[in-house]
Amino acid sequence: MTGAGSFKTAVGISGIWVGAPDLWSFSTLAEVSACPRRYALRRASYPEIWDRPGYPERVNEAALLGTAVHDGVELVLRELSRTGCSSIADEQAVAAIRRLGGYSKIATRCLDEHLQRLSANPRMAPRLDGLRAQIDNRASEMRRGIQALVSQSPAAPNKPERGRRQDGDPVKRATLGEGRHLETTLVAEEARFAGRLDLLVVHSDRADIMDFKTGQPSERHNLQLHLYGLLWQLDETANARRLPVGSLVLGYVDGAVEVEPPSDWGELHDWLRDEIANAESQVRAQSPAATPSVECWHCPVRQLCDEYWDSPFTGGVPDSSFVDREVSILSRNGPTSWLGRLTRDGSEVLLRSSRDCEALALGSDVRILNLLAGEAEELDGMILTMTRSSEVFGPIQR
Ligand code: SF4
C-alpha cells in the first residue's frame, strides 16, 4: 500500500494514518498523553484487514464482562424510563425488569449481543467460542454487577427521555428536557471536545451526572467526571437553559462514590484547551512519537511498534510469567513443538503449542504475544508455551 499517509509495519501490516479527530474525548486525550504512537496505530485505517475504522481490538474476559454489565445497566434504565419509573424503588420497576426476563437473562442477552458484534473482528472471531466458555462461569457476577449499578442510579423526574439516539442513527442533537438521559453525547463545539455520558439526569434547576465503572476506583475516573461536568456547561445545544451541574457520581459495583466538583471550572477549561493543543501537535506528525513504558504490556497494537520490541518492556508485567518475544523459527521438533532463537540475544528456546500453527514457518522471524515462559532443562534455556491468548505476527520484514 502506498500513498499519502500510508505506512507499513515490520510484520507486513499496512495502514493509513488518520491524524487528529474533529472532536477530542477523554479517552483519546488520555491515550495521546500516554503514547502518541499508540493512539495513531489504534486509530489508523487498515483496509487490507477489514473495512472498519482502527485496528481490530483484542478484547479480554474482563473487558467483555464490563461491557456486558454496562449494556445491561443501560437496558434496565431505558426500560425504567420507558415505563415512567423514576427509580428502581418504584412499584412498576419489578414488573419492568420481569418483562426484560430478569437480571440473569439481561446479562446473557447483553453478552450475546456483544459477542455477535465481535464476530466481525478478525482478531477475535477465532477466539469467541473459548471466550464464551470462560465467561459463562461468571454469569452470576454479571447479574450482580448489573443489579448493583442499577440500584445506585439516582431517581429521575418522571418524564420520558428526549434527545436520545434514534434507531442507530447518529446522535440527534437536541436540548435535553427534564428526565433521565442514557448514553448521551455532549459536544463543546468551541473547545472541540465531546463525551458520551452514561447517565445524565436533568432536573428543573440542575443536572446530575453519573458514570458506571466495573473496574477498580481510579483518580482518572474523577477527572473524567469533572470533564463531563465541564462539557455539560459548555454544550449550548443540550444545555440551552444553562443549568448548572448538580452532583457528580461514580457508580462502582461495590458502591457509589460522590465526586467533589473542581474548585475552579475555568482552570479546568484552560487545562483542557492546553491538553487538546498538545495532543493536536503530537498526532499531526507523520509517525507520532512512541514512548515505551511498563504500560506497553496493555497496548493492543504493540505487535506493530518497533520501538516496543527494541525496549526493555517486552518481559510482561511484574510477577507474571507471560512475555512477548521475537523468535526465529529454526526447526520443527514435532507436530506442536519448534526450536527457535530469540532475535534479541540469540539464545535458543523451545516453543510449544497445543495445536499446529502455520504462522511458525521454518526460517521465518515472528513476533509472538502472550507466551508463557518457563525453564527448559533439556535446552539450558527457555521453554515458551503458546496459550489461548497468544498471537503470532509476521513474518518480520527487516
Ligand atoms: S507498544 Fe508502547 S510505545 Fe509502542 S505504541 Fe504501544 S504504548 Fe506506544
Side-chain angles (χ1 to χ4, degrees):
M1 185 190 301
T2 55
S6 64
F7 65 92
K8 186 161 187 170
T9 66
V11 289
I13 295 172
S14 301
I16 303 166
W17 301 120
V18 295
D22 293 337
L23 293 168
W24 288 90
S25 66
F26 175 75
S27 59
T28 51
L29 286 176
E31 190 158 39
V32 174
S33 154
C35 177
R37 178 77 59 80
R38 172 176 167 157
Y39 165 89
L41 284 172
R42 279 192 68 205
R43 284 167 176 77
S45 59
Y46 298 87
E48 290 168 4
I49 297 182
W50 68 341
D51 57 5
R52 302 203 179 175
Y55 191 80
E57 286 291 330
R58 180 70 198 261
V59 181
N60 63 23
E61 196 181 325
L64 185 59
L65 188 138
T67 305
V69 169
H70 209 272
D71 291 354
V73 173
E74 184 188 347
L75 187 67
V76 172
L77 293 181
R78 266 200 206 294
E79 184 64 12
L80 295 186
S81 289
R82 198 185 65 77
T83 50
C85 296
S86 60
S87 80
I88 194 70
D90 272 24
E91 272 178 26
Q92 317 278 346
V94 175
I97 289 163
R98 251 196 227 122
R99 262 195 307 279
L100 292 173
Y103 281 109
S104 295
K105 275 247 167 60
I106 292 166
T108 311
R109 172 178 159 186
C110 291
L111 178 64
D112 287 345
E113 285 175 1
H114 193 49
L115 285 169
Q116 179 58 33
R117 287 198 292 275
L118 285 174
S119 63
N121 175 334
R123 208 172 167 190
M124 292 303 298
R127 297 186 161 77
L128 290 185
D129 287 346
L131 200 51
R132 170 87 225 202
Q134 278 170 270
I135 210 161
D136 267 349
N137 301 328
R138 299 177 71 177
S140 58
E141 197 181 328
M142 279 188 285
R143 175 181 51 73
R144 280 198 306 276
I146 297 171
Q147 215 164 353
L149 292 176
V150 165
S151 70
Q152 292 163 20
S153 68
N158 199 356
K159 305 239 169 116
E161 187 185 350
R162 288 194 293 139
R164 53 168 288 200
R165 283 206 302 173
Q166 315 247 324
D167 300 331
D169 280 348
V171 174
K172 184 182 174 199
R173 303 274 296 135
T175 296
L176 298 179
E178 281 181 52
R180 181 188 288 123
H181 302 276
L182 290 150
E183 296 292 333
T184 298
T185 298
L186 299 181
V187 179
E189 303 279 357
E190 207 185 318
R192 295 190 43 231
F193 187 65
R196 196 156 179 213
L197 280 59
D198 286 346
L199 175 61
L200 177 76
V201 180
V202 179
H203 300 269
S204 58
D205 59 346
R206 68 182 196 283
D208 297 329
I209 295 171
M210 185 167 188
D211 212 55
F212 299 112
K213 303 290 182 194
T214 50
Q216 293 302 310
S218 146
E219 274 299 313
R220 280 171 40 83
H221 299 160
N222 294 17
L223 173 61
Q224 183 181 12
L225 218 52
H226 284 173
L227 288 171
Y228 285 173
L230 178 65
L231 196 45
W232 169 247
Q233 294 169 71
L234 297 177
D235 187 329
E236 294 174 3
T237 303
N239 185 14
R241 287 182 292 150
R242 318 298 282 173
L243 293 175
V245 173
S247 64
L248 299 171
V249 178
L250 288 166
Y252 294 102
V253 172
D254 291 335
V257 176
E258 180 145 3
V259 174
E260 282 290 312
S263 53
D264 186 339
W265 289 105
E267 241 173 53
L268 183 66
H269 195 174
D270 292 344
W271 175 87
L272 178 63
R273 201 176 288 124
D274 292 347
E275 281 292 295
I276 289 177
N278 180 46
E280 295 265 344
S281 69
Q282 297 273 7
V283 302
R284 214 175 283 135
Q286 244 330 341
S287 178
T291 53
S293 72
V294 285
E295 291 304 317
C296 288
W297 186 254
H298 305 290
C299 175
V301 286
R302 59 193 193 275
Q303 65 277 14
L304 309 179
C305 173
D306 294 342
E307 285 81 350
Y308 168 66
W309 294 92
D310 291 337
S311 80
F313 301 109
T314 56
V317 285
D319 301 327
S320 156
S321 302
F322 282 89
V323 297
D324 294 339
R325 289 290 180 260
E326 269 187 9
V327 186
S328 301
I329 308 301
L330 302 177
S331 61
R332 187 159 191 161
N333 289 355
T336 56
S337 97
W338 297 259
L339 187 66
R341 176 174 288 126
L342 298 184
T343 56
R344 172 166 290 190
D345 62 12
S347 61
E348 289 195 348
V349 291
L350 189 62
L351 258 179
R352 280 190 185 153
S353 165
S354 59
R355 61 187 188 282
D356 189 11
C357 185
E358 281 177 20
L360 301 180
L362 293 189
S364 65
D365 292 355
V366 290
R367 289 175 175 171
I368 313 180
L369 305 186
N370 300 318
L371 283 160
L372 187 59
E375 297 295 322
E377 280 173 18
E378 65 269 40
L379 246 193
D380 192 25
M382 301 281 289
I383 180 165
L384 298 173
T385 305
M386 308 239 300
T387 66
R388 265 195 305 217
S389 64
S390 301
E391 291 178 281
V392 183
F393 294 89
I396 299 172
Q397 297 153 12
R398 297 186 193 279

